[in-house]
């Protein structure tokens, strides 16, 4: 196993250990790269829909000339979904219980995004 792959696995494992339900690395094309989950998920669908959500959010924000990295947060029932771009090829898709405050989830995702960007050579 490559050092980068091991570091990505370690980062995703840490997110799940810290209370997230799902933490996944996906390609911007929607294909899953690595996924850690406490619950069963269909990785291909999960990754593809996360990529579509972030691409849509980025397109909307570009209409307002916003170019900083986007973070999409969606709440439904007892869950929060966060999707964040890491670089031009990868994104981070996370699901947390709604008991984790949105601000805390945003910080967790931002920290993981920075770590993964370093690991992936961004």
């Amino acid at each position: 196993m490559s050092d980068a792959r091991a570091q990505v696995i370690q980062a995703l494992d840490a997110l799940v250990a810290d209370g997230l339900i799902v933490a996944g690395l996906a390609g911007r094309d929607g294909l899953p790269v690595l996924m850690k989950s406490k619950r069963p998920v269909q990785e291909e669908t999960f990754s593809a829909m996360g990529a579509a959500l972030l691409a849509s959010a980025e397109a909307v924000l570009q209409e307002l000339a916003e170019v900083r990295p986007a973070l999409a947060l969606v709440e439904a029932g007892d869950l929060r979904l966060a999707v964040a771009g890491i670089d031009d090829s990868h994104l981070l898709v996370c699901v947390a219980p709604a008991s984790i405050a949105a601000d805390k989830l945003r910080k967790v995702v931002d920290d993981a995004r920075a770590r993964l960007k370093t690991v992936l050579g961004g």
Side-chain angles (χ1 to χ4, degrees), residues 36-48:
K36 297 294 178 170
S37 179
K38 292 180 181 175
R39 296 185 193 172
V41 294
Q42 212 293 323
E43 292 183 14
E44 290 79 12
T45 302
F46 188 84
S47 297

Side-chain angles (χ1 to χ4, degrees), residues 41-78:
V41 294
Q42 212 293 323
E43 292 183 14
E44 290 79 12
T45 302
F46 188 84
S47 297
M49 295 302 104
L53 173 66
L54 188 64
S56 297
E58 288 174 336
V60 167
L61 294 171
Q62 281 180 339
E63 289 295 319
L64 300 170
E66 185 59 59
V67 294
R68 288 181 286 184
L71 169 66
L73 288 173
V74 177
E75 295 184 31
D78 294 331

Side-chain angles (χ1 to χ4, degrees), residues 10-97:
Q10 184 180 34
L12 297 178
D13 281 341
L15 289 169
V16 173
D18 286 343
L20 297 190
I21 297 166
V22 181
L25 179 67
R28 283 191 175 263
D29 59 3
L31 295 175
V33 177
L34 286 168
M35 187 89 41
K36 297 294 178 170
S37 179
K38 292 180 181 175
R39 296 185 193 172
V41 294
Q42 212 293 323
E43 292 183 14
E44 290 79 12
T45 302
F46 188 84
S47 297
M49 295 302 104
L53 173 66
L54 188 64
S56 297
E58 288 174 336
V60 167
L61 294 171
Q62 281 180 339
E63 289 295 319
L64 300 170
E66 185 59 59
V67 294
R68 288 181 286 184
L71 169 66
L73 288 173
V74 177
E75 295 184 31
D78 294 331
L79 299 175
R80 284 196 168 96
L81 168 69
V83 186
I86 296 171
D87 56 28
D88 290 343
S89 301
H90 301 95
L91 53 91
L92 177 62
V93 184
C94 298
V95 175

Side-chain angles (χ1 to χ4, degrees), residues 2-5 7-8 25 86-90 112-122:
S2 74
D3 187 48
R5 182 177 176 83
Q7 289 180 53
V8 169
L25 179 67
I86 296 171
D87 56 28
D88 290 343
S89 301
H90 301 95
R113 175 176 21 191
R115 179 178 178 189
L116 289 168
K117 187 171 186 166
T118 299
V119 169
L120 296 170

